[in-house]
Amino acid sequence: MLLSTPSQIIENLTTGVVAVDRELVVCVVNPAAEMVFDSSAKQMIGQSVARFWADIEPLLRETLRSGHSFTRRGARLPLLGRDAHVDLTVTALMGAAGHGVDGLALEIHVVDRLRRLAHDEEIVDHHQAQRLVVQGLAHEIKNPLGGLRGAAQLLERQLGAGEREYTRVIIREADRLQALVDRLSGPTRPTRKTAVNIHQVFEHVRSLLLAEVGPGIRLQRDYDPSLPEIAADPDQLVQAVLNLVRNSVQAMRGAGTIRLRSRIERQFTIGQRRHRQVLRAEVEDDGPGVPPSLRETLFYPMVTGRADGTGLGLSIAQDIVRRHDGLIEYQSQPGRTVFTLFLPFEVKT
Ligand SMILES: Nc1ncnc2c1ncn2[C@@H]1O[C@H](COP(=O)(O)OP(=O)(O)OP(=O)(O)O)[C@@H](O)[C@H]1O
Ligand SMILES: [Mg+2]
């Protein structure tokens, strides 16, 4: 026997369901549809569906007239700042006999997200393979570099004051290379997780940055104070967020606004695992955006758009977040770039 009522079933579907009346006014919205439209049922019910999805209005009017249900694959759904692609089925809801169509039911299934998931897995695997190569290389360089520096120091003692200039160059360059090799290795100590509030991490990064940047850069906060703590290594998270915020500062060249935002995201899949809720921590800036030539390979080590960049910041940040079973994604266009950290609340058992 089925224990749930039809409305409970609709509530728990992963497909977005919206019902509209003959005037295309929204009467029913399930939680999955709230996520698709990034609006609450309260905001949507009583409003015309055209307010949330203007392009679809003519098609819906046509369905009301004809009574013919239809399915459209890959329909474009413009949402704030990005386009989603959805599979849409519209069913005409027939009224009492002879009264024609009473309203419409829209079933909306976001396909972007499915595509994105498959793509993510590939990118993360590729990225981790690359990091292993880079870490291996860094390790190989480390030992001979130590020998080189030690030998230069010994040599320095045997040389007269006028000749030390050369050994100094060797030592200075060896130190520079050592710093690079250390960054290439990424965080070397094991991740030590404790209960961390993401806002402590944000505030720490903010205080570090305020000391570095000029008055042209504003650092705003938009926090959800009700967020639970996560199990994380606070120092590593500070490192990851700092890398993102520093990139924003560098991209904005002295003037602009950075927003640190925290939210809960429900029903989110990372890798193979679906989480009931995850933390969404965002770093948003109004700079020029990520150069289009870097977009596909952005998280790979040594990918940089800056003359003095090493291209390691994002690779290290992604590595740290992966150690926390999370994921970093980004969206970018001129005037709005958002890097988003997704981190699970539940501790892995
Ligand atoms: N918020 C942003 N806006 C515009 N471009 C960005 C932003 N974040 C990253 N980028 C681009 O991505 C590139 C790679 O960033 P990443 O942090 O990995 O390396 P980097 O900043 O160049 O060097 P490093 O962090 O090692 O000093 C940057 O050089 C920049 O071109
Ligand atoms: Mg960087």
Side-chain angles (χ1 to χ4, degrees), residues 151-171:
Q153 272 177 317
L154 288 176
L155 198 61
E156 189 171 64
R157 287 191 207 147
Q158 294 171 15
L159 294 176
E163 295 160 308
R164 283 191 187 148
E165 186 189 323
Y166 301 115
T167 48
R168 295 254 158 84
V169 172
I170 299 175
I171 292 170

Side-chain angles (χ1 to χ4, degrees), residues 304-320:
T304 181
R306 297 190 295 114
D308 57 349
T310 49
L312 292 174
L314 287 177
S315 164
I316 291 169
Q318 184 73 279
D319 196 27
I320 289 173

Side-chain angles (χ1 to χ4, degrees), residues 76-266:
R76 206 173 63 88
L77 170 60
L79 289 170
L80 272 181
R82 71 188 167 94
D83 273 352
H85 287 93
V86 299
D87 286 347
L88 167 73
T89 299
V90 177
T91 308
L93 304 170
M94 304 308 273
H99 283 86
V101 183
D102 244 5
L104 303 172
L106 284 67
E107 293 166 60
I108 304 159
H109 193 65
V110 179
V111 284
D112 266 358
R113 180 125 188 82
L114 296 178
R115 276 203 208 112
R116 202 220 63 182
L117 281 178
H119 197 57
D120 273 353
E121 282 295 286
E122 235 171 75
I123 288 182
V124 168
D125 282 354
H126 201 157
H127 174 247
Q128 278 186 329
Q130 288 224 2
R131 274 214 65 77
L132 284 177
V133 171
V134 169
Q135 279 167 345
L137 204 64
H139 189 76
E140 288 304 310
I141 295 173
K142 224 171 180 145
N143 289 337
L145 195 61
L148 208 70
R149 192 185 191 282
Q153 272 177 317
L154 288 176
L155 198 61
E156 189 171 64
R157 287 191 207 147
Q158 294 171 15
L159 294 176
E163 295 160 308
R164 283 191 187 148
E165 186 189 323
Y166 301 115
T167 48
R168 295 254 158 84
V169 172
I170 299 175
I171 292 170
R172 198 177 59 229
E173 291 301 296
D175 286 346
R176 215 162 62 88
L177 212 52
Q178 180 69 46
L180 175 65
V181 163
D182 286 345
R183 285 202 75 207
L184 281 170
S185 309
T188 42
R189 72 166 175 77
T191 307
R192 280 187 230 115
K193 292 184 183 171
T194 54
V196 180
N197 183 318
I198 189 66
H199 304 137
Q200 286 165 351
V201 173
F202 272 165
E203 287 299 297
H204 191 137
V205 169
R206 199 166 171 269
S207 60
L208 290 173
L209 254 294
L210 283 176
E212 279 178 27
V213 300
I217 304 270
R218 279 177 303 170
L219 274 164
Q220 296 184 343
R221 313 114 143 160
D222 174 5
Y223 298 166
D224 175 348
S226 66
L227 289 179
E229 292 176 320
I230 50 170
D233 185 317
D235 295 340
Q236 291 191 358
L237 275 196
V238 164
Q239 177 72 65
V241 175
L242 197 57
N243 288 359
L244 301 182
V245 180
R246 283 219 171 100
N247 281 346
S248 293
V249 171
Q250 284 155 352
M252 290 191 306
R253 296 170 191 276
T257 304
I258 298 172
R259 270 190 200 90
L260 303 176
R261 186 175 299 115
S262 65
R263 293 286 185 271
I264 278 190
E265 179 93 22
R266 290 177 210 286

